[in-house]
Amino acid sequence: MIQPSFPGGTHPPGHKTATADARSEICPLPAELVIPLAQHVGAPALPCVTAGQWVARGQLVGRANGFVSVPVHASTSGLVTAVEPRPHPCGADLPAVVLQPDGADTWADEYQKQSFHVLSVEAMLERIREAGVVGMGGAAFPTHVKLDPPQGKVIDTVIVNAVECEPWLTADRRVLLEQTEKVLTGLEILQEISGADHAYIGLEDNQPDVARLLAPHCQKRGIGLAVLPTKYPQGAERQLIYAVTGRRVPARGLPMDVGVLVQNVGTIAALTDAVTRGRPLIERMVTISGPAVVRPQNLRVRIGTPVAHLLEHCGVTEEPAMVILGGPMMGSAQHTPAVPVVRGTSGVLAFRRQDLPTTTAGPCVRCGRCVNACPMNLQPTFIADFARRDELELAERFAARNCIECGSCSFICPANIPLVQSIRYAKGAILARRRRI
Amino acid sequence: MKSLLLIMVGAVFVNNFVLARFLGLCPFLGVSKKVETALGMGMAVTFVMVVASACTWLLQYLVLTPFNLDYLQTIAFILVIATLVQMVEMIVRKSSPVLYQSLGIFLPLITTNCAVLGLAVLNIQRNYSFVQSLVFAFGAALGFTLAMVLYAGLRERLTLCPVPRIFRGTPIELITAGLLALAFMGFAGLVPN
Amino acid sequence: MMAAVICLGSLGFVAALLLGMAARRFAVTVDPRQVALMDILAGANCGACGFPGCDAYARALVAGTAKPDLCRPGGAETLKRIATILGVAVTERPPQIAVVRCQGDLQHARLKYAYQGLQDCRAAQKLARGPKLCPAGCLGLGSCVQHCPFDALAIDSRGLAMVNRSRCTGCGLCVTICPRQVLALAPANETIHVLCNNRESSARVKSYCNAGCLGCRLCVRTAPESFVMDSFLAKVRYGYGEPSTMAEAIARCPHHCILNLDEQGNNQTLPTPHSVRERSTP
């Protein structure tokens, strides 16, 4: 069967070989953990511990603040030394619980492994919410919100997002290879909660070994295995849904509008732990890679581990000129290595000075490559120009708000124009103006 | 029928009022910042041109020629056109505020427009019949609108372009207008005058 | 000769008759107050009143749906005349002027990262909350300069926004444009301002910048009636206090962030340099 592919897209070099085939290791605990209270989309959690208090591993340190919010837990046992603003991957200093590990790593409660079949849907959702599970592909949207669609929306298909289209990153791949059973159980849980009849695992064809590994499992359980031609941004929800099912999510709509639920591999693994063992999300797979890293590898990292500790553990050839959290296409460069790994951090990439682009932005040469590359069928060059001149009406008419900020246009632009930044600005300005009026 | 078609094509493309005859340059440069306003102006001009050419044709052949007053042509035509435009403005303003919002603001600009007067004079010079003069007026107005919209589109694009500093603003706009006129020269000779 | 006179005369007469009839028949009444208001309003179409242009504001005024004191560029004079036309009583508001509350140039303020990208403060602010370590400092990319309808703002040689006090009308557009609220409106006759916008504690401010308000309260202790504290940021109580005690407070400020703009004539009073103006026009 020939899979339909989404329009546009680019083919950035993969750089995945360095970390793809090595087994993941457990990252040793750092001297200090910084656990931000805002690690998700929505209201930040409210701290419920004070400085000087001893906390156990998995103990609640921040309560959820509202429906679109999740609790935050201690990643290990130790002493809370402060609750104060600390550097956060978003660039600002935000409130965080600072934890000094005591090395004992004692769990708060002993959890009994339990089959999910005995639990009701509400109980499962409650467990997922209490465990603080959020989308681990990068967006960090609370999973329990996504699993609890408003009345009248019927989900008939669940898709596991194992595409990992960002260069360098292999964390999802390692989760899928090492925790296959967990992911497959999680998929069953998802089907149980959402009532979906169909399930797919979306993969790119640059991982034939994973496809071979999964094929018998999928056959046995009646899961569709969609091996898609490698293209960025295949991992974006809309693009993946179109590539797998051929359904188009409306421009301002959500995947649930076409009856689809997409979850990242890492999220599903975390969700299984939450439901079957009651374990909160305190650890995640992180790819540490990049030209400046001596031993690139995948690590199972406690949430709140400072990036500096990870780089020290893997070794750097020199002081990295740029450290990016997430992938190189959509991740964000950090101004200090003191920022911690949060729930949405899929990778830590370190680059040397010579790896960074030196060319400055030139004038648009009207080649139209950005228009061809845009997976949302937009005209990035025009929207960017409108944004630069503050012609927000025109930008809106050119559907600036449909942009998914995948960065394909900026990547492909031969003149190095910061297209996606301009469009992001336009999006923000349009929304701000709308709020004002 | 064929002659009417020739008159039409000739007026729209070959002897375009703006780009080949260089009539009506003031609105061409003045009201062409945006395609929308250019289109509004074009529509207003179309309306006025057709009505004015009908009135002036009647005036010429019912009043001026019978009384041997051809030398009063220019002043009489200006009078008629100005009155006409003023009246149209009043009527539109009263009867359709919406139309007035989109079209009315352009009407005063047309009052003494050389393109309209030039059209009326050309009608007489070429000995067109009443129907021919109406077709010629419509074609000329269509050509005017075409030139306006094309130029406005170019100007919209121009604002996005990194123009060398000394060319910014009016200079590059005039160069663009010149290039557009050059392009229209490609139609030359398609229809005998 | 006679024929020409009669012909043109009658033509003109007919035209006049027609126009006269049309004028009567198709007369449209416009509130004369609206026309009068249009003459009075500043005509800058700056949008500070919240309406799309002066025309719309005039219409809203006549309709009674807008307050008469919204035209800030026009100031007190316009307000008075609007009130006369509309026949309402209004209280005068002192004229205001924009103040750039930041002195954190590259000599004083530390950078978070080297910014390359769109030359627009609001776009830069979206990238890890701005390239300056201080979350309240002027980014100096000139969004306010580009939007000022009165050409009263510029980026000075230190890379900070500056207000041309003679051109500023206090319309407040820059205040809404600035993503970090560096600009604020202050009474136009006041010359002493605290040129810092950071409410954080002294330790944090010190880690950002050598020219920020530390919240040390020295000024409040020296001139208690002239200064108040807003969290860790000193503020001038405009219209209160003695010049002599204020001068003492200015002298005692450890980071020199209280300034008398009259004495420091070079600050925020320079005419707009031409180069900045050119960048803002397409």
Side-chain angles (χ1 to χ4, degrees):
Chain A
M1 188 179 110
I2 297 169
Q3 296 282 354
S5 185
F6 62 91
T10 51
H11 295 93
H15 296 294
K16 295 196 188 233
T17 44
T19 52
D21 294 321
R23 243 193 119 68
S24 70
E25 289 169 19
I26 294 171
C27 178
L29 283 172
E32 186 184 71
L33 283 163
V34 179
I35 306 167
L37 290 163
Q39 299 188 32
H40 48 265
V41 174
L46 301 167
C48 57
V49 288
T50 48
Q53 187 181 340
W54 185 88
V55 291
R57 180 182 182 187
Q59 186 181 330
L60 200 70
V61 295
R63 271 179 288 112
N65 181 17
F67 179 63
V68 187
S69 180
V70 288
V72 176
H73 306 84
S75 306
T76 183
S77 61
L79 198 65
V80 176
T81 51
V83 180
E84 60 182 16
R86 284 296 182 103
H88 185 278
C90 78
D93 288 3
L94 294 181
V97 174
V98 185
L99 195 65
Q100 200 173 17
D102 59 6
D105 214 15
T106 37
W107 277 102
D109 300 299
E110 282 300 324
Y111 290 101
Q112 277 299 316
K113 198 170 174 184
Q114 193 178 20
S115 167
F116 69 89
H117 294 291
V118 300
L119 295 167
S120 68
V121 168
E122 286 73 31
M124 286 195 277
L125 277 175
E126 184 59 22
R127 285 194 170 197
I128 291 169
R129 197 184 66 77
E130 275 176 5
V133 180
V134 296
M136 284 159 80
F141 189 78
T143 302
H144 68 274
V145 181
K146 217 167 160 181
L147 289 177
D148 200 6
Q151 284 289 314
K153 302 273 184 205
V154 179
I155 306 284
D156 61 18
T157 306
V158 178
I159 300 175
V160 180
N161 187 351
V163 164
E164 201 154 52
C165 54
E166 283 263 13
W168 299 100
L169 303 186
T170 53
D172 285 354
R173 174 187 154 84
R174 289 320 304 176
V175 170
L176 204 53
L177 283 174
E178 296 169 16
Q179 306 173 11
T180 316
E181 205 49 47
K182 217 187 248 181
V183 173
L184 292 172
T185 314
L187 188 51
E188 277 180 51
I189 296 174
L190 279 180
Q191 281 185 277
E192 179 84 17
I193 291 176
S194 64
D197 295 330
H198 308 286
Y200 292 95
I201 297 178
L203 267 179
E204 282 193 340
D205 60 6
N206 58 359
Q207 303 191 59
D209 50 336
V210 182
R212 269 197 302 278
L213 172 89
L214 289 174
H217 291 288
C218 290
Q219 192 108 47
K220 201 165 66 193
R221 297 175 190 234
I223 299 168
L225 188 62
V227 182
L228 310 161
T230 304
K231 186 161 74 165
Y232 181 87
Q234 191 105 254
E237 255 181 355
R238 289 155 193 279
Q239 280 61 35
L240 183 65
I241 291 170
Y242 182 69
V244 173
T245 65
R247 298 182 198 174
R248 281 178 197 278
V249 181
R252 299 268 197 289
L254 292 169
M256 64 173 77
D257 293 333
V258 293
V260 180
L261 174 70
V262 181
Q263 289 291 358
N264 172 270
V265 174
T267 317
I268 295 180
L271 172 150
T272 312
D273 270 348
V275 172
T276 60
R277 309 178 74 168
R279 278 202 179 166
L281 171 52
I282 53 168
E283 188 184 80
R284 68 155 298 149
M285 189 78 81
V286 180
T287 306
I288 291 94
S289 190
V293 176
V294 180
R295 293 177 300 279
Q297 58 188 310
N298 279 290
L299 291 177
R300 296 210 290 283
V301 180
R302 298 288 167 89
I303 304 296
T305 306
V307 166
H309 176 77
L310 296 178
L311 292 177
E312 198 185 317
H313 179 72
C314 296
V316 281
T317 53
E318 61 191 85
E319 185 68 20
M322 186 186 262
V323 176
I324 294 177
L325 287 197
M329 299 293 277
M330 287 187 77
S332 51
Q334 299 301 317
H335 66 92
T336 160
V339 294
V341 165
V342 292
R343 287 169 175 166
T345 309
S346 45
V348 174
L349 307 177
F351 295 91
R352 300 163 299 179
R353 185 147 302 279
Q354 65 259 42
D355 304 318
L356 302 181
T358 49
T359 40
T360 48
C364 174
V365 294
R366 316 254 148 199
C367 63
R369 284 191 211 174
C370 54
V371 180
N372 283 337
C374 181
M376 293 303 287
N377 290 321
L378 305 177
Q379 290 166 289
T381 176
F382 284 117
I383 301 176
D385 274 334
F386 296 143
R388 221 169 300 150
R389 289 187 299 138
D390 255 291
E391 299 263 19
L392 296 181
E393 284 97 3
L394 279 170
E396 200 169 356
R397 210 189 303 160
F398 277 62
R401 287 173 62 207
N402 292 4
C403 172
I404 55 168
E405 301 175 18
C406 67
S408 294
C409 48
S410 296
F411 171 76
I412 210 83
C413 180
N416 289 311
I417 300 171
L419 290 164
V420 75
Q421 194 202 358
S422 311
I423 300 173
R424 267 176 78 166
Y425 161 63
K427 278 173 75 176
I430 289 169
L431 283 178
R433 197 180 52 149
R434 192 157 287 214
R435 239 173 282 134
R436 235 187 0 257
I437 293 172
Chain B
M1 198 59 218
K2 195 182 158 201
S3 75
L4 288 183
L5 195 70
L6 280 179
I7 288 172
M8 184 89 169
V9 172
V12 176
F13 295 110
V14 186
N15 297 308
N16 187 293
F17 260 56
V18 181
L19 297 172
R21 289 186 198 278
F22 307 115
L23 289 169
L25 282 176
C26 16
F28 179 65
L29 295 171
V31 207
S32 56
K33 270 226 172 71
K34 283 194 165 160
V35 172
E36 276 164 31
T37 51
L39 204 63
M41 181 71 185
M43 269 151 55
V45 166
T46 309
F47 181 73
V48 170
M49 271 191 171
V50 174
V51 178
S53 83
C55 289
T56 51
W57 193 91
L58 291 174
L59 179 71
Q60 174 73 28
Y61 290 108
L62 295 183
V63 180
L64 299 184
T65 314
F67 294 106
N68 275 329
L69 292 170
D70 288 338
Y71 59 91
L72 285 179
Q73 195 188 45
T74 312
I75 190 162
F77 280 10
I78 289 179
L79 185 71
V80 169
I81 293 168
T83 312
L84 194 76
V85 174
Q86 281 301 313
M87 244 169 74
V88 168
E89 193 195 341
M90 287 179 194
I91 294 170
V92 170
R93 195 174 183 187
K94 181 75 181 176
S95 55
S96 167
V98 182
L99 192 66
Y100 181 73
Q101 282 282 336
S102 60
L103 211 145
I105 40 172
F106 305 112
L107 284 169
L109 288 173
I110 313 169
T111 314
T112 48
N113 190 318
C114 52
V116 184
L117 183 65
L119 171 88
V121 175
L122 276 173
N123 272 336
I124 310 303
Q125 272 178 10
R126 295 185 174 183
N127 292 321
Y128 280 150
S129 72
F130 186 68
V131 176
Q132 278 177 326
S133 72
L134 283 188
V135 171
F136 183 59
F138 187 68
L142 216 60
F144 180 85
T145 312
L146 179 73
M148 286 284 286
V149 170
L150 285 179
Y151 186 55
L154 287 172
R155 273 181 77 169
E156 275 191 6
R157 289 288 181 94
L158 209 56
T159 53
L160 296 173
C161 295
V163 180
R165 216 176 62 196
I166 49 165
F167 281 121
R168 253 173 237 174
T170 316
I172 192 72
E173 278 158 15
L174 287 176
I175 290 171
T176 313
L179 290 175
L180 196 59
L182 271 178
F184 267 71
M185 278 180 79
F187 292 116
L190 202 65
V191 174
N193 209 16
Chain C
M1 176 65 199
M2 211 50 206
V5 172
I6 293 168
C7 176
L8 263 188
S10 52
L11 258 179
F13 185 74
V14 170
L17 206 67
L18 280 173
L19 279 180
M21 269 161 55
R24 191 156 294 186
R25 184 91 198 273
F26 300 105
V28 177
T29 48
V30 176
D31 197 320
R33 293 182 298 169
Q34 189 180 328
V35 182
L37 284 171
M38 270 309 289
D39 292 339
I40 288 171
L41 294 174
N45 291 321
C46 66
C49 52
F51 289 90
C54 297
D55 196 21
Y57 181 49
R59 217 174 302 149
L61 276 175
V62 172
T65 53
K67 282 191 189 165
D69 58 349
L70 297 178
C71 186
R72 284 193 273 196
E77 189 56 31
T78 304
L79 175 58
K80 226 180 289 169
R81 287 163 74 181
I82 292 174
T84 341
I85 291 173
L86 294 178
V88 291
V90 286
T91 48
E92 261 184 53
R93 210 172 46 173
Q96 289 189 306
I97 209 166
V99 178
V100 179
R101 298 182 296 173
C102 181
Q103 297 192 95
D105 56 7
L106 289 179
Q107 258 97 58
H108 294 98
R110 274 171 280 284
L111 284 181
K112 193 187 269 182
Y113 59 88
Y115 177 73
Q116 305 173 318
L118 207 56
Q119 292 297 304
D120 186 303
C121 303
R122 291 166 301 171
Q125 174 71 11
K126 285 192 103 69
L127 199 72
R129 314 227 173 154
K132 253 185 193 161
L133 212 48
C134 172
C138 175
L139 293 176
L141 295 170
S143 290
C144 52
V145 178
Q146 285 178 27
H147 284 85
C148 179
F150 304 100
D151 206 9
L153 281 156
I155 300 299
D156 63 12
S157 54
R158 304 178 304 164
L160 297 174
M162 103 187 145
V163 178
N164 182 331
R165 291 171 70 86
S166 57
R167 286 196 190 155
C168 180
T169 60
C171 74
L173 201 62
C174 49
V175 178
T176 57
I177 293 286
C178 180
R180 307 180 128 202
Q181 287 82 45
V182 176
L183 286 138
L185 291 179
N189 53 352
E190 296 284 341
T191 55
I192 297 174
H193 302 283
V194 178
L195 297 186
C196 181
N197 181 35
N198 195 316
R199 284 185 178 74
E200 289 176 280
S201 65
S202 63
R204 292 207 145 245
V205 171
K206 264 185 197 159
S207 70
Y208 302 141
C209 180
N210 295 333
C213 173
L214 301 171
C216 65
R217 304 177 61 90
L218 259 178
C219 51
V220 179
R221 265 179 278 159
T222 313
E225 67 279 13
S226 316
F227 293 95
V228 283
M229 295 304 294
D230 173 9
S231 181
F232 289 98
L233 179 63
K235 294 217 157 161
V236 180
R237 290 177 76 204
Y238 295 115
Y240 293 89
E242 297 268 318
S244 58
T245 52
M246 282 180 94
E248 200 184 323
I250 292 171
R252 289 180 70 178
C253 180
H255 265 186
H256 308 293
C257 50
I258 309 173
L259 277 197
N260 189 337
L261 298 181
D262 262 1
E263 286 164 19
Q264 314 273 330
N266 57 344
N267 193 345
Q268 308 208 340
T269 49
L270 293 174
T272 313
H274 202 60
S275 58
V276 179
R277 172 102 180 88
E278 273 171 0
R279 201 184 58 182
S280 64
T281 47

